[in-house]
Amino acid sequence: MSNQVSSRQALYRSVEVMLLVVALLAGAATVFFLTDSARDVRFMTISGLVLTACLIVLIRLWMNPDRVRAGQTDAVLNLASRMLACMDGGLKEESAQRICDMLLPETSAIAVAITDKQVILGYSGRGQETNPQDAPIRTAATHAVLDSGEMQVLFSSDAIGFPDERRAINGAIVVPLTMGAETVGTLKFYYPSARKINETQRSIAAGFGELLSTQLAATALEEQKRMVTSMELKALQSQINPHFLFNTINTIASFIRTDPAKARVLLREFAVFYRRTLEDASDLIPLAREVDQTERYLRFEMARFGEDRLQLTCSIPSQVSEMLVPAFMVQPLVENAVKHAMPATGCLHISICAEPQADDLVIRIIDDGVGMSEERRANIMETSSQTGLGIAVRNIRDRIQGYFGAESFMRVESEEGSGTTITLFLKGGCFKNPLDLEEK
């Protein structure tokens, strides 16, 4: 829709420019023939007719309803786009004030306000100095809309319900802002006279109220998704960590009798490991730190099973080692390899490789363990999978897509008896800092 309107506007502008150029040339020719003593009446008449025709067409273009509608639509779409950009983090005081400042010049209102259920979030226009942010809602009409969830159009200061006399404001449109079935705030347009309130103003108010409500719902949905992902991460940690905790404590206890020096080293490493796990649970961390934490985990498992049963190799190029990635991204995949891929005899080899590809980053976790059947591989990739690895796959995939975009992905390839390869593709991962992207 926006592209169609912009194309139409561009066409109108091109035609206008061409007609203006022709009109100027025709006008100059007409003036020349009028001032020339040896004027040629025929050419003067032709230039006059061309000038008149160009002016008539220009006037018709400027008055054309389709052109007016196209211009209005383009302006509304641009305004809507700017409003949505303000609400990336939800409707807060800063974003509400910016939206009020944007809306005021686009309507006949002399003031625009946004509230939540208790206080003013933003106010622009007449009376702004007496309606600061965080001030409690004072108008009866606003409370009525919050209670009913229905838009109200008011045609007098008394109907609006100001606590004191307000002669400057004598009309208002109050639109509910909703999330689902709940009214969470209001968008208000104040007018100097009831005559200023027409169908256009009603439509504008209702449309922008619906737009803000839709964006509030979308923001809430994103927040719920983030919370679900965080809860799944905590669930994954609670599934894995107690089992690992008891095994590691038992391993350290056995070394206290047979190799006290090694027991002391493992105990210090164990303290660092758990401190890092708690610190990194919800943050972005350098890739090198995530791999370092994974290596620390493998040292405990090597101590438990023996170095002849587990080996780890890492290949992390220096240019990507400081890149920020979601914490707890590599370790649970390696942990599941130890848990499920280790053969009955022999050594399980695990490798972690990071490879920059143009602007993107590919991380692979490869093992040569027992592998898995196609049915099991397909099952853990299903969003409904409730197994430990299934939760890990979904959680890691959701978090990398949340930080690096929908083109990022996680792929699991496996063959029974030949091992498993898990590929993490981070779109733009080599040169994008997700924290910077969030701030923007």
Side-chain angles (χ1 to χ4, degrees):
M1 176 66 177
S2 179
N3 289 337
Q4 291 176 352
V5 172
S6 299
S7 299
R8 194 179 305 164
Q9 289 288 88
L11 177 61
Y12 279 129
R13 284 194 291 269
S14 299
V15 173
E16 286 173 0
V17 170
M18 182 182 69
L19 288 172
L20 282 172
V21 171
V22 174
L24 288 172
L25 293 175
T30 302
V31 171
F32 172 77
F33 287 124
L34 284 173
T35 57
D36 187 9
S37 56
R39 66 175 63 94
D40 188 321
V41 177
R42 182 180 55 183
F43 284 112
M44 184 177 68
T45 302
I46 292 172
S47 63
L49 289 173
V50 171
L51 174 61
T52 303
C54 288
L55 291 175
I56 290 173
V57 174
L58 280 171
I59 291 171
R60 286 179 65 86
L61 279 175
W62 289 332
M63 300 294 290
N64 187 296
D66 187 50
R67 180 182 188 276
V68 173
R69 283 194 297 270
Q72 291 174 339
T73 302
D74 196 31
V76 169
L77 289 174
N78 285 333
L79 177 60
S81 178
R82 287 186 286 129
M83 285 174 55
L84 294 179
C86 289
M87 291 184 61
D88 280 347
L91 192 58
K92 301 175 183 176
E93 288 186 357
E94 181 181 358
S95 57
Q97 185 60 49
R98 289 173 64 187
I99 289 170
C100 289
D101 293 339
M102 290 179 191
L103 286 175
L104 183 62
E106 305 300 328
T107 72
S108 300
I110 58 172
V112 177
I114 293 175
T115 75
D116 60 15
K117 297 174 77 171
Q118 286 88 31
V119 300
I120 297 170
L121 296 178
Y123 193 106
S124 182
R126 182 73 64 87
Q128 185 170 351
E129 65 284 351
T130 58
N131 291 277
Q133 292 176 323
D134 278 332
I137 296 170
R138 294 185 292 173
T139 60
T142 305
H143 288 292
V145 170
L146 287 169
D147 291 338
S148 67
E150 299 291 332
M151 184 176 84
Q152 289 197 11
V153 182
L154 308 141
F155 298 99
S156 70
S157 182
D158 289 339
I160 297 169
F162 284 116
D164 54 353
E165 186 177 2
R166 299 277 181 151
R167 297 185 181 277
I169 296 176
N170 293 287
I173 301 176
V174 185
V175 184
L177 301 178
T178 60
M179 284 200 303
E182 181 185 3
T183 301
V184 296
T186 63
L187 171 63
K188 304 188 287 185
F189 297 85
Y190 290 131
Y191 301 87
S193 167
R195 293 192 301 273
K196 292 286 187 180
I197 302 176
N198 53 34
E199 285 303 316
T200 299
Q201 294 300 307
R202 291 175 191 240
S203 297
I204 289 174
F208 282 122
E210 186 66 29
L211 180 69
L212 291 178
S213 294
T214 301
Q215 186 63 15
L216 282 172
T219 302
L221 197 62
E222 283 297 315
E223 179 64 15
Q224 289 176 7
K225 182 179 178 182
R226 186 195 66 78
M227 290 177 65
V228 167
T229 301
S230 177
M231 290 173 65
E232 287 179 348
L233 176 58
K234 292 182 186 300
L236 179 62
Q237 289 175 308
S238 68
Q239 278 187 6
I240 296 173
N241 288 346
H243 180 71
F244 169 66
L245 171 66
F246 297 132
N247 286 334
T248 303
I249 290 174
N250 287 333
T251 300
I252 294 173
S254 68
F255 276 110
I256 289 175
R257 296 188 299 271
T258 61
D259 191 343
K262 187 170 185 177
R264 285 194 297 271
V265 172
L266 287 173
L267 194 57
R268 285 196 297 268
E269 287 285 285
F270 193 56
V272 173
F273 177 84
Y274 262 90
R275 185 172 67 249
R276 289 283 177 87
T277 298
L278 295 173
E279 289 173 353
D280 297 342
S282 59
D283 295 329
L284 290 163
I285 62 173
L287 175 60
R289 177 163 171 159
E290 171 70 5
V291 173
D292 181 60
Q293 183 75 338
T294 304
E295 290 178 314
R296 187 172 285 109
Y297 157 77
L298 255 297
R299 283 197 285 274
F300 302 131
E301 297 291 44
M302 288 177 184
R304 175 187 170 199
F305 291 107
E307 294 184 7
D308 59 334
R309 294 279 284 144
L310 265 176
Q311 288 188 11
L312 174 70
T313 58
C314 296
S315 176
I316 310 297
S318 58
Q319 65 264 39
V320 298
S321 62
E322 294 303 310
M323 175 202 156
L324 295 179
V325 298
F328 207 60
M329 180 180 71
V330 176
Q331 183 200 326
L333 300 176
V334 171
E335 196 160 349
N336 273 285
V338 174
K339 196 172 182 180
H340 300 291
M342 186 174 290
T345 59
C347 184
L348 174 67
H349 299 87
I350 301 173
S351 66
I352 303 171
C353 307
E355 176 188 355
Q357 292 183 357
D359 292 351
D360 310 319
L361 177 66
V362 176
I363 301 172
R364 292 187 178 88
I365 298 93
I366 306 168
D367 71 68
D368 60 356
V370 298
M372 67 184 84
S373 65
E374 176 57 26
E375 181 181 358
R376 182 162 180 262
R377 188 203 67 81
N379 181 59
I380 64 169
M381 294 300 292
E382 291 293 329
T383 56
S384 59
S385 174
Q386 296 300 313
T387 66
L389 184 54
I391 295 174
V393 167
R394 181 172 65 249
N395 183 274
I396 294 167
R397 181 198 59 208
D398 288 348
R399 285 190 292 143
I400 64 175
Q401 288 183 343
Y403 284 115
F404 297 97
E407 293 182 60
S408 300
F409 62 81
M410 178 178 185
R411 183 172 64 237
V412 179
E413 300 169 284
S414 187
E415 184 178 343
E416 286 187 289
S418 298
T420 300
T421 298
I422 298 178
T423 302
L424 305 175
F425 177 80
L426 279 55
K427 181 65 177 176
C430 290
F431 298 98
K432 289 181 182 176
N433 183 332
L435 289 177
D436 292 340
L437 293 177
E438 281 189 335
E439 290 172 1
K440 293 178 183 176

